[in-house]
Amino acid sequence: MCQYSTQSDCIVISYAFYKKSGSFFNILTDIYFIIAELSYLGFVARGGICIGKLYYNEQNVFGPALVDAVNLEEKSAHYPRVIISDKDYLRGIEEGYLFSSNEDREYINKRLKRDVDGYWYVDFFEQKSGFDWSSDFQEYLTNWKGIIQNGLNENMDNTDVYSKYCWLASKFNKAIKRQDPSIQEIVY
């Protein structure tokens, strides 16, 4: 079962987590598509994925998993990325799989990349799944290129924000070399 809510600039999505539920697979897919949709609106996203207890009622969401996710986002995400700790990554692979642990691991490892700081993050540049045609994916990448270039141009004097767009540009440039060499790299 999936539940979600929004509060201010925060989106909380949760799945019941138990063995062979597919919940880990599902949350990564949902996050990928949310990031894609937000990009078409000109927004970048940052967040944390945690496995743990979370409680909903009609007006509130609370629990240790929410606290952990917010802390992960605030203290460790730094860049426009949605990250997960090693502990929760391993638990998701070992328990939250849908088909078999090995099959899901292969799919999940296409959705996640390990960054230089050791955190896994949802990779939203390398995945063509979910796009009906390669031209749709090329449009998606071109949209991201515009977002990144605008962010770099508008934040040259703000080193903290500028560094976040540099991170995006670096990931984007690596992805287009493999995915679509017809798109020119971002120079920053």
Side-chain angles (χ1 to χ4, degrees):
M1 178 170 102
C2 175
Q3 291 182 293
Y4 67 92
S5 68
T6 58
Q7 296 177 358
S8 183
D9 65 347
C10 179
I11 302 170
V12 178
I13 307 166
S14 68
Y15 282 90
F17 185 84
Y18 51 90
K19 281 192 185 251
K20 295 190 84 169
S21 64
S23 53
F24 194 52
F25 175 94
N26 292 334
I27 194 75
L28 295 176
T29 301
D30 284 353
I31 290 170
Y32 176 79
F33 284 112
I34 288 169
I35 291 170
E37 289 299 318
L38 287 171
S39 77
Y40 284 115
L41 298 171
F43 295 105
V44 297
R46 188 174 75 185
I49 301 170
C50 291
I51 298 173
K53 293 184 179 182
L54 190 66
Y55 304 95
Y56 277 88
N57 65 28
E58 280 118 32
Q59 298 164 350
N60 299 300
V61 180
F62 57 95
L66 181 60
V67 172
D68 291 347
V70 168
N71 284 334
L72 193 61
E73 182 267 334
E74 287 179 349
K75 295 177 181 165
S76 302
H78 304 299
Y79 307 108
R81 61 184 181 164
V82 178
I83 62 173
I84 184 168
S85 69
D86 266 344
K87 175 185 68 107
D88 286 335
Y89 166 80
L90 291 171
R91 186 167 175 212
I93 291 284
E94 292 168 4
E95 298 177 32
Y97 57 88
L98 182 59
F99 304 111
S100 76
S101 182
N102 288 337
E103 285 177 89
D104 273 17
R105 184 183 307 258
E106 184 179 322
Y107 175 81
I108 287 165
N109 285 338
K110 289 180 183 176
R111 285 273 186 244
L112 294 172
K113 285 248 176 22
R114 188 182 291 273
D115 214 341
V116 294
D117 61 1
Y119 284 101
W120 294 92
Y121 69 97
V122 178
D123 183 4
F124 44 91
F125 290 138
E126 295 268 353
Q127 302 303 315
K128 286 188 180 180
S129 62
F131 293 92
D132 294 330
W133 306 100
S134 61
S135 61
D136 293 340
F137 190 67
Q138 186 176 38
E139 178 186 313
Y140 172 75
L141 291 174
T142 302
N143 177 63
W144 267 109
K145 183 176 181 180
I147 290 169
I148 297 165
Q149 285 178 319
N150 288 340
L152 289 167
N153 292 337
E154 292 172 4
N155 293 288
M156 289 180 150
D157 296 333
N158 184 339
T159 56
D160 186 47
V161 175
Y162 188 80
S163 70
K164 293 170 185 357
Y165 283 99
C166 288
W167 180 89
L168 276 172
S170 170
K171 301 303 180 192
F172 178 86
N173 287 344
K174 287 177 185 173
I176 63 166
K177 283 180 185 175
R178 289 185 290 272
Q179 301 275 342
D180 193 340
S182 69
I183 299 175
Q184 290 185 349
E185 288 186 21
I186 297 171
V187 178
Y188 57 101

Coordinates of all heavy atoms in Angstrom, one line a residue, residues 28-29 45 69 71 92 125 149 172 183 186:
L28 N 11.7 3.6 -5.6 CA 12.7 4.1 -6.5 C 12.1 4.5 -7.8 O 12.4 5.6 -8.3 CB 13.8 3.1 -6.7 CG 14.6 2.7 -5.4 CD1 15.6 1.6 -5.8 CD2 15.3 3.9 -4.9
T29 N 11.1 3.7 -8.3 CA 10.5 4.1 -9.5 C 9.6 5.4 -9.4 O 9.7 6.3 -10.2 CB 9.6 2.9 -10.0 OG1 10.4 1.8 -10.2 CG2 8.9 3.2 -11.3
A45 N 15.1 18.5 -7.2 CA 14.7 17.9 -5.9 C 15.9 17.3 -5.1 O 16.9 16.9 -5.7 CB 13.7 16.7 -6.2
A69 N 14.8 10.5 7.4 CA 14.8 11.0 6.0 C 15.2 12.5 5.9 O 16.0 12.9 5.1 CB 13.5 10.7 5.3
N71 N 16.8 14.2 8.2 CA 18.2 14.4 8.6 C 19.1 14.0 7.4 O 20.1 14.7 7.2 CB 18.5 13.6 9.8 CG 17.9 14.2 11.1 OD1 17.7 15.4 11.2 ND2 17.7 13.4 12.1
G92 N 16.8 -2.8 1.7 CA 15.9 -2.8 0.6 C 16.1 -3.9 -0.4 O 15.2 -4.6 -0.9
F125 N 19.4 10.7 -14.8 CA 19.9 11.0 -16.1 C 20.2 9.8 -16.9 O 20.2 9.9 -18.2 CB 21.3 11.8 -16.0 CG 21.1 13.2 -15.5 CD1 22.0 13.7 -14.6 CD2 20.1 14.0 -15.9 CE1 21.9 15.0 -14.1 CE2 20.0 15.3 -15.4 CZ 20.9 15.8 -14.5
Q149 N 21.9 24.8 -17.1 CA 22.6 26.0 -17.6 C 22.0 27.3 -16.9 O 22.8 28.2 -16.6 CB 22.4 26.1 -19.1 CG 23.3 25.1 -19.8 CD 23.2 25.2 -21.3 OE1 22.1 25.3 -21.9 NE2 24.3 25.1 -22.0
F172 N 25.3 15.1 -15.5 CA 24.6 15.3 -16.8 C 25.7 14.9 -17.9 O 25.4 14.2 -18.8 CB 24.1 16.7 -17.0 CG 23.4 16.9 -18.3 CD1 22.1 16.6 -18.6 CD2 24.2 17.5 -19.4 CE1 21.5 16.8 -19.8 CE2 23.6 17.7 -20.6 CZ 22.3 17.4 -20.8
I183 N 23.8 15.5 -27.9 CA 23.6 16.6 -27.0 C 25.0 17.1 -26.5 O 25.8 16.3 -26.0 CB 22.7 16.2 -25.8 CG1 21.4 15.8 -26.3 CG2 22.6 17.4 -24.8 CD1 20.5 15.3 -25.2
I186 N 27.6 20.4 -21.0 CA 27.5 21.7 -20.4 C 28.9 22.2 -20.0 O 29.7 21.4 -19.3 CB 26.6 21.6 -19.1 CG1 25.2 21.3 -19.5 CG2 26.6 23.0 -18.4 CD1 24.3 20.9 -18.4

